[in-house]
Amino acid sequence: MTVTLAKHQHAKYFQRFIHLLPNQLAVHDSIRLTMAFFALSGLDVLNSLDVLSEQKRSEAIEWIYRLQVRGAGPRSGFQGSTSVPKEASKYQTGHLAMTYLGLASLLTLGDDLSRIDKKSIIQGVRACQNDDGSFTATLTGSESDMRFIYCACCISAILDDWSGIDKRKAINYIKESISYDGGIGQGPGLESHGGSTFCAVASLLLMDNLTSALSEKQLNRLRYWCLMRQIGGFHGRPNKPEDTCYSFWVGATLQILGVRHLTDATENRAYVLTTQDSVLGGLSKFDTSAPDPLHTYLGLCGLSLLGEPGLQAVNAALNISQSAFDHLEEIHKIWAGD
Ligand SMILES: [Zn+2]
């Protein structure tokens, strides 16, 4: 029996996150913007953003702009929550992942980014790059790895300004992070992983250096490593169980590398749909776990890459909907004419 995607229930699931953060997720308040992005972009991929009233959408835009730390020099960017009050401005600092998700959410909502303090944000990006080419998430001391190179590349691509990244150093860090097995880790000497491989490959594409930075042999080893991640669904590393989110992380990487057609789409789709809650909505990591916003969003994006009927196409490198990407291109045309 063919299982159908419970589109309506998934849209309801995201709507609940927009209206109220469930108490079991209160611990994630400091990254509330992440939940907002999954819900907003998720509704967009479901072609269901119109379930939110015009007023609700403009309230969401205003809330996201309140997260912008403006004119704070190297601390500029977006923070994940309004829980750091304005009065405590010395503690307010941008976070590269939050800046990327803030910009992506604004694009999804159709905002024209006119209230974005572009110059300061790029200054904030520049301040987060390390000598080895990697990026830290914030200036207040955080991890530094492939994830934040990716966020820095997304921010630069969205703002159409690459002056905050030393591309040569970033590309070098990515090349140094290629593991012996052909995949890419979070940093040099670390185990290959589907998430870091996506971040690396998407960053190279956004920097317009994918085929110049990597040799044909390296690209082919990457393609092979990614293709070997399919069990039915995909897993993120050898010997791990399949997990819904990798249908996007690895699926999108294969799409960028031009070989997604070599995967078994039927089995991939079947796995992802075993993890959906068709009554209350949402997708989970495994068929035995509870749905969460990340796996719901990435599961839908993974299905979108397979051409699931009723879903909008996604831009694999920026992980936003095609319509949000088209909107961005219109904004870039306006900026170019300024
Ligand atoms: Zn996962």
Side-chain angles (χ1 to χ4, degrees), residues 171-206:
I171 291 167
N172 199 43
Y173 183 87
I174 293 172
K175 288 170 76 171
E176 297 262 309
S177 303
I178 299 174
S179 180
Y180 69 91
D181 61 4
I184 302 178
Q186 286 291 358
L190 299 178
E191 183 186 10
S192 301
H193 184 276
S196 45
T197 299
F198 166 79
C199 288
V201 170
S203 296
L204 289 173
L205 182 77
L206 291 169

PDB file of all heavy atoms in Angstrom, residues 171-206:
ATOM      1  N   ILE A 171      38.346  27.651   1.944  1.00  0.00           N
ATOM      2  CA  ILE A 171      38.442  26.515   1.021  1.00  0.00           C
ATOM      3  C   ILE A 171      39.544  25.563   1.486  1.00  0.00           C
ATOM      4  O   ILE A 171      39.390  24.337   1.463  1.00  0.00           O
ATOM      5  CB  ILE A 171      38.698  27.014  -0.421  1.00  0.00           C
ATOM      6  CG1 ILE A 171      37.447  27.726  -0.946  1.00  0.00           C
ATOM      7  CG2 ILE A 171      39.094  25.867  -1.352  1.00  0.00           C
ATOM      8  CD1 ILE A 171      37.663  28.536  -2.214  1.00  0.00           C
ATOM      9  N   ASN A 172      40.641  26.135   1.957  1.00  0.00           N
ATOM     10  CA  ASN A 172      41.738  25.317   2.433  1.00  0.00           C
ATOM     11  C   ASN A 172      41.300  24.457   3.630  1.00  0.00           C
ATOM     12  O   ASN A 172      41.615  23.269   3.708  1.00  0.00           O
ATOM     13  CB  ASN A 172      42.918  26.231   2.815  1.00  0.00           C
ATOM     14  CG  ASN A 172      44.193  25.445   2.878  1.00  0.00           C
ATOM     15  OD1 ASN A 172      44.450  24.609   2.018  1.00  0.00           O
ATOM     16  ND2 ASN A 172      44.979  25.680   3.920  1.00  0.00           N
ATOM     17  N   TYR A 173      40.518  25.069   4.547  1.00  0.00           N
ATOM     18  CA  TYR A 173      40.027  24.331   5.718  1.00  0.00           C
ATOM     19  C   TYR A 173      39.136  23.163   5.260  1.00  0.00           C
ATOM     20  O   TYR A 173      39.225  22.054   5.784  1.00  0.00           O
ATOM     21  CB  TYR A 173      39.236  25.267   6.632  1.00  0.00           C
ATOM     22  CG  TYR A 173      38.735  24.631   7.901  1.00  0.00           C
ATOM     23  CD1 TYR A 173      39.525  24.576   9.039  1.00  0.00           C
ATOM     24  CD2 TYR A 173      37.453  24.072   7.960  1.00  0.00           C
ATOM     25  CE1 TYR A 173      39.072  23.987  10.210  1.00  0.00           C
ATOM     26  CE2 TYR A 173      36.983  23.478   9.126  1.00  0.00           C
ATOM     27  CZ  TYR A 173      37.792  23.443  10.252  1.00  0.00           C
ATOM     28  OH  TYR A 173      37.329  22.849  11.415  1.00  0.00           O
ATOM     29  N   ILE A 174      38.296  23.431   4.265  1.00  0.00           N
ATOM     30  CA  ILE A 174      37.401  22.376   3.764  1.00  0.00           C
ATOM     31  C   ILE A 174      38.233  21.241   3.151  1.00  0.00           C
ATOM     32  O   ILE A 174      38.000  20.059   3.435  1.00  0.00           O
ATOM     33  CB  ILE A 174      36.402  22.957   2.727  1.00  0.00           C
ATOM     34  CG1 ILE A 174      35.444  23.937   3.421  1.00  0.00           C
ATOM     35  CG2 ILE A 174      35.632  21.840   2.025  1.00  0.00           C
ATOM     36  CD1 ILE A 174      34.544  24.726   2.474  1.00  0.00           C
ATOM     37  N   LYS A 175      39.220  21.590   2.356  1.00  0.00           N
ATOM     38  CA  LYS A 175      40.039  20.551   1.715  1.00  0.00           C
ATOM     39  C   LYS A 175      40.820  19.728   2.746  1.00  0.00           C
ATOM     40  O   LYS A 175      40.966  18.519   2.617  1.00  0.00           O
ATOM     41  CB  LYS A 175      40.997  21.192   0.700  1.00  0.00           C
ATOM     42  CG  LYS A 175      40.262  21.700  -0.546  1.00  0.00           C
ATOM     43  CD  LYS A 175      41.127  22.524  -1.442  1.00  0.00           C
ATOM     44  CE  LYS A 175      42.095  21.678  -2.241  1.00  0.00           C
ATOM     45  NZ  LYS A 175      42.779  22.508  -3.270  1.00  0.00           N
ATOM     46  N   GLU A 176      41.275  20.428   3.801  1.00  0.00           N
ATOM     47  CA  GLU A 176      42.014  19.722   4.872  1.00  0.00           C
ATOM     48  C   GLU A 176      41.097  18.778   5.644  1.00  0.00           C
ATOM     49  O   GLU A 176      41.572  17.888   6.346  1.00  0.00           O
ATOM     50  CB  GLU A 176      42.569  20.749   5.862  1.00  0.00           C
ATOM     51  CG  GLU A 176      43.577  21.705   5.268  1.00  0.00           C
ATOM     52  CD  GLU A 176      45.003  21.269   5.544  1.00  0.00           C
ATOM     53  OE1 GLU A 176      45.286  21.007   6.713  1.00  0.00           O
ATOM     54  OE2 GLU A 176      45.787  21.178   4.577  1.00  0.00           O
ATOM     55  N   SER A 177      39.776  19.006   5.552  1.00  0.00           N
ATOM     56  CA  SER A 177      38.823  18.207   6.331  1.00  0.00           C
ATOM     57  C   SER A 177      38.310  16.989   5.561  1.00  0.00           C
ATOM     58  O   SER A 177      37.440  16.257   6.052  1.00  0.00           O
ATOM     59  CB  SER A 177      37.637  19.081   6.752  1.00  0.00           C
ATOM     60  OG  SER A 177      38.094  20.202   7.481  1.00  0.00           O
ATOM     61  N   ILE A 178      38.846  16.787   4.338  1.00  0.00           N
ATOM     62  CA  ILE A 178      38.452  15.589   3.581  1.00  0.00           C
ATOM     63  C   ILE A 178      39.113  14.393   4.257  1.00  0.00           C
ATOM     64  O   ILE A 178      40.326  14.387   4.485  1.00  0.00           O
ATOM     65  CB  ILE A 178      38.888  15.685   2.099  1.00  0.00           C
ATOM     66  CG1 ILE A 178      38.213  16.882   1.432  1.00  0.00           C
ATOM     67  CG2 ILE A 178      38.554  14.395   1.357  1.00  0.00           C
ATOM     68  CD1 ILE A 178      38.691  17.150   0.007  1.00  0.00           C
ATOM     69  N   SER A 179      38.303  13.412   4.605  1.00  0.00           N
ATOM     70  CA  SER A 179      38.820  12.261   5.346  1.00  0.00           C
ATOM     71  C   SER A 179      39.394  11.203   4.399  1.00  0.00           C
ATOM     72  O   SER A 179      39.197  11.260   3.191  1.00  0.00           O
ATOM     73  CB  SER A 179      37.673  11.683   6.178  1.00  0.00           C
ATOM     74  OG  SER A 179      38.116  10.586   6.901  1.00  0.00           O
ATOM     75  N   TYR A 180      40.057  10.220   4.982  1.00  0.00           N
ATOM     76  CA  TYR A 180      40.685   9.144   4.178  1.00  0.00           C
ATOM     77  C   TYR A 180      39.659   8.372   3.361  1.00  0.00           C
ATOM     78  O   TYR A 180      39.975   7.787   2.338  1.00  0.00           O
ATOM     79  CB  TYR A 180      41.464   8.181   5.096  1.00  0.00           C
ATOM     80  CG  TYR A 180      40.551   7.367   5.980  1.00  0.00           C
ATOM     81  CD1 TYR A 180      40.076   6.123   5.559  1.00  0.00           C
ATOM     82  CD2 TYR A 180      40.116   7.844   7.220  1.00  0.00           C
ATOM     83  CE1 TYR A 180      39.216   5.386   6.343  1.00  0.00           C
ATOM     84  CE2 TYR A 180      39.255   7.128   8.004  1.00  0.00           C
ATOM     85  CZ  TYR A 180      38.800   5.894   7.568  1.00  0.00           C
ATOM     86  OH  TYR A 180      37.930   5.180   8.334  1.00  0.00           O
ATOM     87  N   ASP A 181      38.370   8.395   3.827  1.00  0.00           N
ATOM     88  CA  ASP A 181      37.363   7.591   3.119  1.00  0.00           C
ATOM     89  C   ASP A 181      36.624   8.383   2.035  1.00  0.00           C
ATOM     90  O   ASP A 181      35.697   7.880   1.411  1.00  0.00           O
ATOM     91  CB  ASP A 181      36.363   6.982   4.116  1.00  0.00           C
ATOM     92  CG  ASP A 181      35.591   8.038   4.908  1.00  0.00           C
ATOM     93  OD1 ASP A 181      35.768   9.248   4.646  1.00  0.00           O
ATOM     94  OD2 ASP A 181      34.796   7.639   5.791  1.00  0.00           O
ATOM     95  N   GLY A 182      37.025   9.642   1.836  1.00  0.00           N
ATOM     96  CA  GLY A 182      36.420  10.419   0.746  1.00  0.00           C
ATOM     97  C   GLY A 182      35.339  11.376   1.192  1.00  0.00           C
ATOM     98  O   GLY A 182      35.006  12.321   0.484  1.00  0.00           O
ATOM     99  N   GLY A 183      34.739  11.142   2.398  1.00  0.00           N
ATOM    100  CA  GLY A 183      33.743  12.067   2.937  1.00  0.00           C
ATOM    101  C   GLY A 183      34.449  13.227   3.647  1.00  0.00           C
ATOM    102  O   GLY A 183      35.676  13.318   3.637  1.00  0.00           O
ATOM    103  N   ILE A 184      33.659  14.103   4.270  1.00  0.00           N
ATOM    104  CA  ILE A 184      34.233  15.301   4.895  1.00  0.00           C
ATOM    105  C   ILE A 184      33.749  15.403   6.346  1.00  0.00           C
ATOM    106  O   ILE A 184      32.567  15.201   6.634  1.00  0.00           O
ATOM    107  CB  ILE A 184      33.849  16.574   4.103  1.00  0.00           C
ATOM    108  CG1 ILE A 184      34.335  16.451   2.650  1.00  0.00           C
ATOM    109  CG2 ILE A 184      34.454  17.828   4.759  1.00  0.00           C
ATOM    110  CD1 ILE A 184      33.968  17.621   1.745  1.00  0.00           C
ATOM    111  N   GLY A 185      34.707  15.692   7.251  1.00  0.00           N
ATOM    112  CA  GLY A 185      34.379  15.819   8.677  1.00  0.00           C
ATOM    113  C   GLY A 185      34.155  17.271   9.076  1.00  0.00           C
ATOM    114  O   GLY A 185      34.245  18.181   8.250  1.00  0.00           O
ATOM    115  N   GLN A 186      33.920  17.491  10.371  1.00  0.00           N
ATOM    116  CA  GLN A 186      33.721  18.865  10.871  1.00  0.00           C
ATOM    117  C   GLN A 186      35.009  19.677  10.814  1.00  0.00           C
ATOM    118  O   GLN A 186      34.977  20.908  10.851  1.00  0.00           O
ATOM    119  CB  GLN A 186      33.192  18.843  12.316  1.00  0.00           C
ATOM    120  CG  GLN A 186      31.738  18.433  12.472  1.00  0.00           C
ATOM    121  CD  GLN A 186      30.761  19.463  11.912  1.00  0.00           C
ATOM    122  OE1 GLN A 186      31.137  20.518  11.426  1.00  0.00           O
ATOM    123  NE2 GLN A 186      29.485  19.121  11.949  1.00  0.00           N
ATOM    124  N   GLY A 187      36.137  18.976  10.754  1.00  0.00           N
ATOM    125  CA  GLY A 187      37.429  19.663  10.685  1.00  0.00           C
ATOM    126  C   GLY A 187      38.502  18.652  10.321  1.00  0.00           C
ATOM    127  O   GLY A 187      38.220  17.448  10.190  1.00  0.00           O
ATOM    128  N   PRO A 188      39.735  19.107  10.165  1.00  0.00           N
ATOM    129  CA  PRO A 188      40.825  18.204   9.794  1.00  0.00           C
ATOM    130  C   PRO A 188      40.982  17.047  10.793  1.00  0.00           C
ATOM    131  O   PRO A 188      40.937  17.265  12.000  1.00  0.00           O
ATOM    132  CB  PRO A 188      42.058  19.117   9.817  1.00  0.00           C
ATOM    133  CG  PRO A 188      41.508  20.488   9.586  1.00  0.00           C
ATOM    134  CD  PRO A 188      40.167  20.503  10.265  1.00  0.00           C
ATOM    135  N   GLY A 189      41.115  15.830  10.278  1.00  0.00           N
ATOM    136  CA  GLY A 189      41.346  14.666  11.130  1.00  0.00           C
ATOM    137  C   GLY A 189      40.099  14.106  11.783  1.00  0.00           C
ATOM    138  O   GLY A 189      40.174  13.141  12.532  1.00  0.00           O
ATOM    139  N   LEU A 190      38.942  14.699  11.508  1.00  0.00           N
ATOM    140  CA  LEU A 190      37.706  14.217  12.148  1.00  0.00           C
ATOM    141  C   LEU A 190      36.929  13.298  11.200  1.00  0.00           C
ATOM    142  O   LEU A 190      37.079  13.358   9.981  1.00  0.00           O
ATOM    143  CB  LEU A 190      36.840  15.406  12.579  1.00  0.00           C
ATOM    144  CG  LEU A 190      37.505  16.346  13.600  1.00  0.00           C
ATOM    145  CD1 LEU A 190      36.597  17.530  13.930  1.00  0.00           C
ATOM    146  CD2 LEU A 190      37.862  15.583  14.875  1.00  0.00           C
ATOM    147  N   GLU A 191      36.081  12.463  11.817  1.00  0.00           N
ATOM    148  CA  GLU A 191      35.331  11.454  11.054  1.00  0.00           C
ATOM    149  C   GLU A 191      34.373  12.097  10.036  1.00  0.00           C
ATOM    150  O   GLU A 191      33.708  13.090  10.341  1.00  0.00           O
ATOM    151  CB  GLU A 191      34.526  10.612  12.059  1.00  0.00           C
ATOM    152  CG  GLU A 191      33.744   9.485  11.435  1.00  0.00           C
ATOM    153  CD  GLU A 191      32.848   8.778  12.456  1.00  0.00           C
ATOM    154  OE1 GLU A 191      32.690   9.284  13.587  1.00  0.00           O
ATOM    155  OE2 GLU A 191      32.299   7.722  12.091  1.00  0.00           O
ATOM    156  N   SER A 192      34.308  11.509   8.861  1.00  0.00           N
ATOM    157  CA  SER A 192      33.351  11.965   7.844  1.00  0.00           C
ATOM    158  C   SER A 192      31.933  11.881   8.388  1.00  0.00           C
ATOM    159  O   SER A 192      31.598  10.937   9.104  1.00  0.00           O
ATOM    160  CB  SER A 192      33.406  11.061   6.609  1.00  0.00           C
ATOM    161  OG  SER A 192      34.674  11.056   6.074  1.00  0.00           O
ATOM    162  N   HIS A 193      31.111  12.846   8.002  1.00  0.00           N
ATOM    163  CA  HIS A 193      29.751  12.893   8.530  1.00  0.00           C
ATOM    164  C   HIS A 193      28.840  13.522   7.469  1.00  0.00           C
ATOM    165  O   HIS A 193      29.251  14.453   6.772  1.00  0.00           O
ATOM    166  CB  HIS A 193      29.769  13.734   9.820  1.00  0.00           C
ATOM    167  CG  HIS A 193      28.456  13.781  10.512  1.00  0.00           C
ATOM    168  ND1 HIS A 193      27.465  14.668  10.162  1.00  0.00           N
ATOM    169  CD2 HIS A 193      27.973  13.029  11.529  1.00  0.00           C
ATOM    170  CE1 HIS A 193      26.408  14.455  10.937  1.00  0.00           C
ATOM    171  NE2 HIS A 193      26.687  13.478  11.766  1.00  0.00           N
ATOM    172  N   GLY A 194      27.615  13.009   7.350  1.00  0.00           N
ATOM    173  CA  GLY A 194      26.699  13.527   6.324  1.00  0.00           C
ATOM    174  C   GLY A 194      26.403  15.012   6.494  1.00  0.00           C
ATOM    175  O   GLY A 194      26.287  15.741   5.509  1.00  0.00           O
ATOM    176  N   GLY A 195      26.309  15.476   7.747  1.00  0.00           N
ATOM    177  CA  GLY A 195      26.000  16.889   7.987  1.00  0.00           C
ATOM    178  C   GLY A 195      27.160  17.784   7.604  1.00  0.00           C
ATOM    179  O   GLY A 195      26.979  18.798   6.910  1.00  0.00           O
ATOM    180  N   SER A 196      28.374  17.412   8.027  1.00  0.00           N
ATOM    181  CA  SER A 196      29.527  18.262   7.694  1.00  0.00           C
ATOM    182  C   SER A 196      29.860  18.173   6.208  1.00  0.00           C
ATOM    183  O   SER A 196      30.320  19.159   5.609  1.00  0.00           O
ATOM    184  CB  SER A 196      30.745  17.899   8.555  1.00  0.00           C
ATOM    185  OG  SER A 196      30.932  16.522   8.620  1.00  0.00           O
ATOM    186  N   THR A 197      29.581  17.021   5.608  1.00  0.00           N
ATOM    187  CA  THR A 197      29.818  16.898   4.165  1.00  0.00           C
ATOM    188  C   THR A 197      28.880  17.835   3.400  1.00  0.00           C
ATOM    189  O   THR A 197      29.295  18.531   2.470  1.00  0.00           O
ATOM    190  CB  THR A 197      29.639  15.426   3.715  1.00  0.00           C
ATOM    191  OG1 THR A 197      30.607  14.633   4.407  1.00  0.00           O
ATOM    192  CG2 THR A 197      29.832  15.259   2.221  1.00  0.00           C
ATOM    193  N   PHE A 198      27.606  17.879   3.833  1.00  0.00           N
ATOM    194  CA  PHE A 198      26.678  18.836   3.209  1.00  0.00           C
ATOM    195  C   PHE A 198      27.202  20.263   3.373  1.00  0.00           C
ATOM    196  O   PHE A 198      27.247  21.036   2.407  1.00  0.00           O
ATOM    197  CB  PHE A 198      25.270  18.737   3.818  1.00  0.00           C
ATOM    198  CG  PHE A 198      24.397  19.905   3.441  1.00  0.00           C
ATOM    199  CD1 PHE A 198      23.782  19.960   2.190  1.00  0.00           C
ATOM    200  CD2 PHE A 198      24.228  20.988   4.303  1.00  0.00           C
ATOM    201  CE1 PHE A 198      23.025  21.077   1.809  1.00  0.00           C
ATOM    202  CE2 PHE A 198      23.469  22.093   3.936  1.00  0.00           C
ATOM    203  CZ  PHE A 198      22.865  22.133   2.685  1.00  0.00           C
ATOM    204  N   CYS A 199      27.572  20.631   4.615  1.00  0.00           N
ATOM    205  CA  CYS A 199      28.027  22.003   4.878  1.00  0.00           C
ATOM    206  C   CYS A 199      29.212  22.359   3.979  1.00  0.00           C
ATOM    207  O   CYS A 199      29.272  23.465   3.424  1.00  0.00           O
ATOM    208  CB  CYS A 199      28.426  22.174   6.343  1.00  0.00           C
ATOM    209  SG  CYS A 199      27.009  22.190   7.461  1.00  0.00           S
ATOM    210  N   ALA A 200      30.144  21.418   3.833  1.00  0.00           N
ATOM    211  CA  ALA A 200      31.344  21.668   3.031  1.00  0.00           C
ATOM    212  C   ALA A 200      30.999  21.826   1.550  1.00  0.00           C
ATOM    213  O   ALA A 200      31.426  22.780   0.890  1.00  0.00           O
ATOM    214  CB  ALA A 200      32.337  20.529   3.224  1.00  0.00           C
ATOM    215  N   VAL A 201      30.215  20.899   1.023  1.00  0.00           N
ATOM    216  CA  VAL A 201      29.908  20.907  -0.417  1.00  0.00           C
ATOM    217  C   VAL A 201      29.024  22.118  -0.766  1.00  0.00           C
ATOM    218  O   VAL A 201      29.267  22.807  -1.773  1.00  0.00           O
ATOM    219  CB  VAL A 201      29.239  19.569  -0.834  1.00  0.00           C
ATOM    220  CG1 VAL A 201      28.697  19.631  -2.254  1.00  0.00           C
ATOM    221  CG2 VAL A 201      30.245  18.424  -0.703  1.00  0.00           C
ATOM    222  N   ALA A 202      28.029  22.400   0.078  1.00  0.00           N
ATOM    223  CA  ALA A 202      27.164  23.562  -0.186  1.00  0.00           C
ATOM    224  C   ALA A 202      27.978  24.846  -0.097  1.00  0.00           C
ATOM    225  O   ALA A 202      27.780  25.767  -0.898  1.00  0.00           O
ATOM    226  CB  ALA A 202      25.992  23.580   0.799  1.00  0.00           C
ATOM    227  N   SER A 203      28.908  24.927   0.874  1.00  0.00           N
ATOM    228  CA  SER A 203      29.747  26.132   1.000  1.00  0.00           C
ATOM    229  C   SER A 203      30.584  26.327  -0.258  1.00  0.00           C
ATOM    230  O   SER A 203      30.690  27.452  -0.773  1.00  0.00           O
ATOM    231  CB  SER A 203      30.685  26.009   2.207  1.00  0.00           C
ATOM    232  OG  SER A 203      29.945  25.942   3.387  1.00  0.00           O
ATOM    233  N   LEU A 204      31.174  25.252  -0.758  1.00  0.00           N
ATOM    234  CA  LEU A 204      31.996  25.375  -1.974  1.00  0.00           C
ATOM    235  C   LEU A 204      31.143  25.838  -3.150  1.00  0.00           C
ATOM    236  O   LEU A 204      31.566  26.666  -3.960  1.00  0.00           O
ATOM    237  CB  LEU A 204      32.678  24.034  -2.304  1.00  0.00           C
ATOM    238  CG  LEU A 204      33.815  23.612  -1.358  1.00  0.00           C
ATOM    239  CD1 LEU A 204      34.295  22.200  -1.694  1.00  0.00           C
ATOM    240  CD2 LEU A 204      34.992  24.593  -1.429  1.00  0.00           C
ATOM    241  N   LEU A 205      29.919  25.309  -3.240  1.00  0.00           N
ATOM    242  CA  LEU A 205      29.029  25.734  -4.328  1.00  0.00           C
ATOM    243  C   LEU A 205      28.671  27.218  -4.184  1.00  0.00           C
ATOM    244  O   LEU A 205      28.739  27.974  -5.154  1.00  0.00           O
ATOM    245  CB  LEU A 205      27.756  24.893  -4.342  1.00  0.00           C
ATOM    246  CG  LEU A 205      26.797  25.235  -5.481  1.00  0.00           C
ATOM    247  CD1 LEU A 205      27.300  24.651  -6.803  1.00  0.00           C
ATOM    248  CD2 LEU A 205      25.380  24.738  -5.215  1.00  0.00           C
ATOM    249  N   LEU A 206      28.319  27.626  -2.951  1.00  0.00           N
ATOM    250  CA  LEU A 206      27.944  29.033  -2.728  1.00  0.00           C
ATOM    251  C   LEU A 206      29.118  29.957  -3.022  1.00  0.00           C
ATOM    252  O   LEU A 206      28.943  31.062  -3.527  1.00  0.00           O
ATOM    253  CB  LEU A 206      27.444  29.231  -1.292  1.00  0.00           C
ATOM    254  CG  LEU A 206      26.096  28.569  -0.958  1.00  0.00           C
ATOM    255  CD1 LEU A 206      25.827  28.594   0.540  1.00  0.00           C
ATOM    256  CD2 LEU A 206      24.942  29.239  -1.706  1.00  0.00           C
TER     257      LEU A 206
END
